[in-house]
Amino acid sequence: MFAHISKWFQGDVALIQAANPLLVLSVILITGYIFNRLARKLHIPTVTCQILGGVVLGPYVLNLFVQNAYTSFVPITNFALGFIGLTIGSHLDFRKLHNAGRRIAFITLADAIITPVVVFFSLQLFTNVSLEASLLISAIAITTAPSSTLHIVREKRAKGIFTKTLLAVVALNNVITIVVFYTVYYFIYYITSTSHVGIVAIIIKPLLLLVESIIIGSVVGYAVIYFTEKRKTRVSFLVMVMMAVIITVGTAETLHLSGILSSLILGMVISNFSKNKNTLFGAFKDIETEVYTLFFVLAGTHLDFAAIKIAGSIGFVLILSRLFGKTVGSTLGAWLAGSTDTIKKWIGIALYPIAGVAIGLVLLIENNELLSIYSSEITSVVLTAVVVNELLGPILTGKALQKSGEVDKNRLRLMDFIQEEFIKVDMQSDNKWDALAELTEFMYKTHKCHEISLEKLKNSFIEREKQVSTGIGNNLAIPHAIIEGGPKIRGVIGISKKGIKFDAVDDKPVHIIFLIATPKEHYDRQHLQVLSNIAKIFGQHPHIKKQMLKANTPEEVFEILQTEEVEELNPFFED
């Protein structure tokens, strides 16, 4: 006994050689809780501290359990990755992204092109890594860690254009990573195994993998929608979502597909087609802390600091070249898309984390008999990047969210509809009746008003407008209506540069329209306050109107409406 403890003190053996999985689980959760509290006191991201907690448990500090004690938790890790994929997919809501498609596409594509090119040429110029290994590492370098990014966003309670862009880019980034990696993977596989390189097969196989993942995620997603909306089951929403993730990941892993990619598709399907999506995604809140804790502490126990020594300077060439590529690529994409200065300046450092997907792709190389000859140099180099970026990346992502001004904004506020997806800058109508129809259709589409028909919604605004014009003067109109159902006040903003005849009180054309629909139950508490505060925004701050009329995109209008003057008139309900 004492001899064993003596060897443990010297770092030769683990303290507990044969641990019950439940004991290991309890120690992981306790460690996560302790380091979660420590993160709050030190004001650093929880994910970084929880990974450090895993490092403390692991072989480099306490060496509490033998390394294979953690292998029994592989299914939990896979489930956590599936849950993360589901949540990331939930942010690919086409309704919310319809105004942001150009920006997200340019940033994602520029990052996916420039980052691997920079990494590849850096490895070829400054290291002795083989051509094949450089190609594989460059493809892996594209990925951004969805788990770390999502956790930081949740922890910071971030909401806004920057946050929406970041999450969408991370989601698409990982889809592209998998497709690019498999293209390179099959190319090297063919040139290693045979002199004949099948270009068609190289292209078809990665696309087939993507299609198969889409099929799995879509089938499970539509099954969830069917059973929840048709009331075919009394299973709780939490159990339903857990079953969906387990089935999706299990099926994907069995078919040697990507569990996180299939789960991302699952989340996207539910987000875009389920009427109960908020309830389904909200069901996980009761267990998400424990899921994240298990995932990140376990990740910390697996971090191999010996890889840094083995990789030497090569690992740091990857880290620095990837950092440069991510910064230049995403910034260039934001510039080409005409994004705001905030996104151009901070989107790059928000994309630095790299973890789970990268490790999964490294394992894929190790498990391939023909490609395993490259695994020794690839594994140590990629793991070096993972170690450094998982500890420092979340801090930089948190800083980017802080600098964007969107931290602590994910809370219900008086005018919660002041978001990019609810702004229309190119109204074509000439008179108020056409304008009401145009904006009502826009509201119905973007807010998904399931509880009322489009015709009834239009009639509600028309009937109210017939009583007295809502053109209050100063080029502003606030058409509003009381509707029967709905969870909260809904609104959209329409901007017409040429002006609309609206029978305003001052007979001037209307350029800015706030269209508001209020459920009866919210009328007494919020309706009049919303109308009053909108009027105050433009009455007290006329420069805001001028800035909005100069804006060319919903993104620019949203940025204008985030000024301190508007913030004061759009309070959070929690304050």
Side-chain angles (χ1 to χ4, degrees), residues 148-408:
S148 301
T149 306
L150 182 62
H151 192 75
I152 295 298
V153 167
R154 289 283 182 85
E155 183 181 27
K156 298 290 186 181
R157 301 182 75 181
K159 182 179 181 181
I161 284 182
F162 183 87
T163 303
K164 179 173 72 172
T165 302
L166 173 63
L167 291 174
V169 167
V170 167
L172 295 176
N173 168 282
N174 282 280
V175 174
I176 291 175
T177 298
I178 291 169
V179 173
V180 171
F181 173 83
Y182 272 95
T183 302
V184 175
Y185 176 87
Y186 285 117
F187 171 74
I188 295 175
Y189 176 81
Y190 279 119
I191 63 173
T192 304
S193 61
T194 176
S195 59
H196 175 68
V197 179
I199 300 298
V200 174
I202 292 171
I203 297 172
I204 293 297
K205 285 197 173 185
L207 292 179
L208 188 61
L209 177 138
L210 177 61
V211 169
E212 289 171 340
S213 296
I214 290 173
I215 291 171
I216 293 171
S218 298
V219 169
V220 178
Y222 280 112
V224 169
I225 293 170
Y226 175 79
F227 282 110
T228 53
E229 293 185 4
K230 300 298 182 181
R231 307 300 182 196
K232 297 293 182 181
T233 179
R234 295 189 179 185
V235 175
S236 71
F237 281 114
L238 174 59
V239 173
M240 179 65 71
V241 178
M242 289 179 66
M243 286 173 57
V245 173
I246 291 169
I247 292 170
T248 301
V249 174
T251 305
E253 296 289 339
T254 300
L255 298 174
H256 304 290
L257 302 173
S258 170
I260 191 170
L261 178 56
S262 299
S263 298
L264 189 151
I265 301 299
L266 169 66
M268 190 168 68
V269 168
I270 293 174
S271 180
N272 286 280
F273 302 106
S274 174
K275 295 178 182 178
N276 299 312
K277 64 178 181 179
N278 292 331
T279 308
L280 285 165
F281 292 132
F284 252 125
K285 288 186 177 180
D286 293 336
I287 64 167
E288 85 173 358
T289 300
E290 289 73 20
V291 170
Y292 277 125
T293 297
L294 283 171
F295 182 80
F296 290 116
V297 175
L298 278 169
T301 64
H302 286 85
L303 286 185
D304 187 2
F305 286 90
I308 297 177
K309 185 177 180 180
I310 295 171
S313 61
I314 301 174
F316 289 97
V317 169
L318 169 59
I319 291 169
L320 294 175
S321 61
R322 180 178 176 273
L323 184 150
F324 180 78
K326 288 280 179 187
T327 303
V328 173
S330 56
T331 302
L332 177 62
W335 180 78
L336 291 172
S339 295
T340 61
D341 291 339
T342 299
I343 292 178
K344 292 175 189 174
K345 189 173 182 179
W346 298 109
I347 191 65
I349 68 169
L351 297 173
Y352 289 165
I354 179 173
V357 175
I359 294 172
L361 297 178
V362 167
L363 292 175
L364 193 67
I365 296 168
E366 289 183 358
N367 294 333
N368 185 298
E369 291 183 5
L370 289 174
L371 300 186
S372 59
I373 58 174
Y374 308 112
S375 66
S376 57
E377 54 184 335
I378 291 174
T379 301
S380 59
V381 172
V382 173
L383 286 183
T384 299
V386 169
V387 170
V388 174
N389 280 287
E390 272 302 88
L391 293 175
L392 300 180
I395 295 174
L396 295 174
T397 301
K399 180 182 178 181
L401 290 169
Q402 193 81 43
K403 292 293 185 179
S404 73
E406 295 180 1
V407 169
D408 208 30

Side-chain angles (χ1 to χ4, degrees), residues 422-538:
F422 305 129
I423 300 172
K424 188 178 180 69
V425 296
D426 55 352
M427 290 192 67
Q428 301 299 313
S429 303
D430 295 315
N431 62 75
K432 70 175 177 178
W433 305 115
D434 290 342
L436 287 175
E438 183 179 352
L439 281 182
T440 302
E441 290 172 6
F442 182 65
M443 173 183 282
Y444 196 81
K445 175 184 175 183
T446 55
H447 280 282
K448 290 189 176 179
C449 307
H450 297 297
E451 68 285 337
I452 188 173
S453 69
L454 175 59
E455 199 60 34
K456 282 187 177 180
L457 188 61
K458 281 184 182 180
N459 289 336
S460 298
F461 288 111
I462 291 171
E463 291 302 318
R464 171 60 187 83
E465 194 65 30
K466 284 179 178 178
Q467 296 173 17
V468 62
S469 175
T470 54
I472 63 174
N474 196 28
N475 309 118
L476 177 67
I478 315 177
H480 50 277
I482 308 300
I483 59 177
E484 289 296 328
K488 59 183 179 180
I489 293 180
R490 293 175 169 133
V492 294
I493 302 169
I495 298 175
S496 170
K497 295 186 183 296
K498 64 183 179 181
I500 300 169
K501 297 177 182 178
F502 219 92
D503 300 323
V505 293
D506 58 1
D507 291 325
K508 292 181 179 179
V510 164
H511 291 282
I512 300 173
I513 302 174
F514 280 74
L515 189 79
I516 312 293
T518 307
K520 279 186 177 179
E521 60 183 275
H522 294 292
Y523 178 76
D524 293 335
R525 290 181 291 122
Q526 298 171 28
H527 182 73
L528 296 178
Q529 186 181 357
V530 168
L531 300 185
S532 173
N533 284 14
I534 292 172
K536 286 179 182 178
I537 289 171
F538 296 95

Side-chain angles (χ1 to χ4, degrees), residues 27-84:
V27 171
I28 289 172
L29 288 173
I30 291 169
T31 302
Y33 174 77
I34 293 170
F35 278 83
N36 185 33
R37 295 290 298 271
L38 182 63
R40 293 178 183 176
K41 288 188 176 295
L42 297 177
H43 302 290
I44 62 175
T46 302
V47 55
T48 301
C49 233
Q50 287 181 337
I51 291 172
L52 285 172
V55 172
V56 170
L57 283 183
Y60 296 99
V61 185
L62 292 181
N63 197 14
L64 201 56
F65 303 108
V66 291
Q67 202 63 18
N68 63 13
Y70 303 110
T71 57
S72 58
F73 297 102
V74 170
I76 293 178
T77 302
N78 288 340
F79 171 76
L81 281 171
F83 163 62
I84 290 162

